[in-house]
Amino acid sequence: MKTWYLAAAAAIAFAPAAASAQTVYNTSLQNVNGVFGTSTATTTTDSAGTRTVVTGPGPNSGANRAQGTPVLNQWFQANVGAGSTVGITTDYARSGNGSAYFSQTQNDTGKADLQYYFGGAPIALSSLSSFSFDHYRDAASTNNAIQSMVLRLDILKDGVFAGALIYEPYYTTNGNEPVNTWTTSSGNLTTGNWWTNNSLLGPTNATAGGTKSLADWISGNAGSTLSVYGVEIGFGSGWQGNFFGAVDNVSVQFGNAGGLSSNFEVAATAGVPEPATWAMMIMGFGLMGYSMRRRRATLVIA
């Protein structure tokens, strides 16, 4: 757990999220550029959105993954491995013109997340009232067919960093991820199966007894307080083959404590007008010219 988070959060009052989805535009993402270990990150923005592309030989470890600057109350790029891309683009539009885009083209070096840290005090996991997110897997993906985008809750146990609780659709559906279609995963404290990547909470990596509801994780840590300080969406690591997918409409609600509801979109950009727009402009200029000539003629006659 980074000390910057606790210090920054203490200085910001937590404000409950609005009930309606908040639009997150591609232009709000950071320009993550430069060298991260053996990897190099480049961020570009155009009419199709914003993408952070990471190149390099790997290996797939934290020191070689591109990372945005951690901020509160804002999505940012994180843990982007070699051969991976993350951004907000128009590739797989959902509930508007965009969604959060993810891909890997370099086998097991691939990994990428978008991360969000709540401002203010961490929120009790027991107050969670609902979660949901839309996810998409392109049929062009060649990795294991059960693998899909995941939702993670960043957890503190009695104020100590305790990794994440991870919702991976397969462990609830026990089936392959549908392709070329949007799927919604949703639930509450007592529905769905989550696993952890930190033994402080219990069995890790979906081993025996390691997939259970959030309520079961809470009861399995009886006597301790589990709280949520952030949310992540992403994929990997260690996936074999290529992957192309997306996430949209991320919602994590904590009753009266507020929560998060994000719809990812691409902001309009100033560019060259479309042909139809040019035609309307030319027609408008013509009418303006005709009007001015007629006015001058009227003034002369008078």
Side-chain angles (χ1 to χ4, degrees):
M1 177 61 191
K2 296 182 176 64
T3 56
W4 74 266
Y5 170 77
L6 294 176
I12 298 179
F14 177 71
S20 59
Q22 297 178 345
T23 301
V24 180
Y25 287 109
N26 64 299
T27 49
S28 70
L29 293 180
Q30 300 175 19
N31 287 316
V32 181
N33 297 291
V35 176
F36 297 82
T38 59
S39 299
T40 301
T42 304
T43 300
T44 58
T45 297
D46 56 27
S47 60
T50 298
R51 306 167 193 264
T52 297
V53 179
V54 176
T55 58
N60 188 8
S61 65
N64 302 297
R65 295 175 185 164
Q67 180 80 22
T69 301
V71 291
L72 299 177
N73 300 318
Q74 183 177 325
W75 290 97
F76 62 95
Q77 306 95 310
N79 307 311
V80 190
S84 300
T85 299
V86 62
I88 300 174
T89 74
T90 59
D91 289 75
Y92 306 111
R94 174 72 162 175
S95 302
N97 70 352
S99 64
Y101 173 87
F102 300 83
S103 71
Q104 77 163 34
T105 56
Q106 202 165 299
N107 289 322
D108 62 355
T109 63
K111 178 174 173 56
D113 298 322
L114 286 180
Q115 195 156 20
Y116 185 102
Y117 288 144
F118 293 113
I123 311 164
L125 177 60
S126 60
S127 69
L128 185 141
S129 55
S130 66
F131 70 88
S132 66
F133 69 112
D134 299 342
H135 43 96
Y136 185 98
R137 176 186 168 105
D138 193 307
S141 302
T142 58
N143 62 306
N144 193 316
I146 70 171
Q147 293 171 332
S148 177
M149 303 302 305
V150 306
L151 173 71
R152 304 186 191 95
L153 302 179
D154 296 318
I155 302 294
L156 299 177
K157 180 176 180 178
D158 296 329
V160 176
F161 172 73
L165 287 169
I166 304 163
Y167 185 93
E168 191 168 351
Y170 169 75
Y171 293 110
T172 295
T173 64
N174 294 310
N176 291 344
E177 174 77 354
V179 297
N180 291 350
T181 186
W182 283 94
T183 303
T184 300
S185 292
S186 62
N188 53 41
L189 279 177
T190 61
T191 58
N193 289 320
W194 299 67
W195 59 278
T196 186
N197 56 9
N198 191 298
S199 60
L200 190 61
L201 296 177
T204 61
N205 297 324
T207 55
T211 55
K212 46 193 175 184
S213 72
L214 294 174
D216 289 335
W217 282 106
I218 293 171
S219 63
N221 286 271
S224 294
T225 299
L226 302 186
S227 53
V228 181
Y229 68 90
V231 176
E232 303 173 35
I233 51 175
F235 75 89
S237 58
W239 289 9
Q240 299 294 320
N242 297 339
F243 173 76
F244 307 93
V247 170
D248 205 6
N249 299 323
V250 179
S251 177
V252 181
Q253 301 299 324
F254 298 93
N256 293 335
L260 172 70
S261 185
S262 296
N263 173 36
F264 300 98
E265 301 291 354
V266 174
T269 57
V272 178
E274 296 292 331
T277 304
W278 274 117
M280 292 296 293
M281 290 171 63
I282 292 170
M283 182 182 297
F285 291 146
L287 290 173
M288 287 174 61
Y290 172 77
S291 177
M292 291 176 67
R293 289 194 301 273
R294 182 176 181 183
R295 184 180 177 208
R296 284 197 300 269
T298 303
L299 287 173
V300 170
I301 293 171

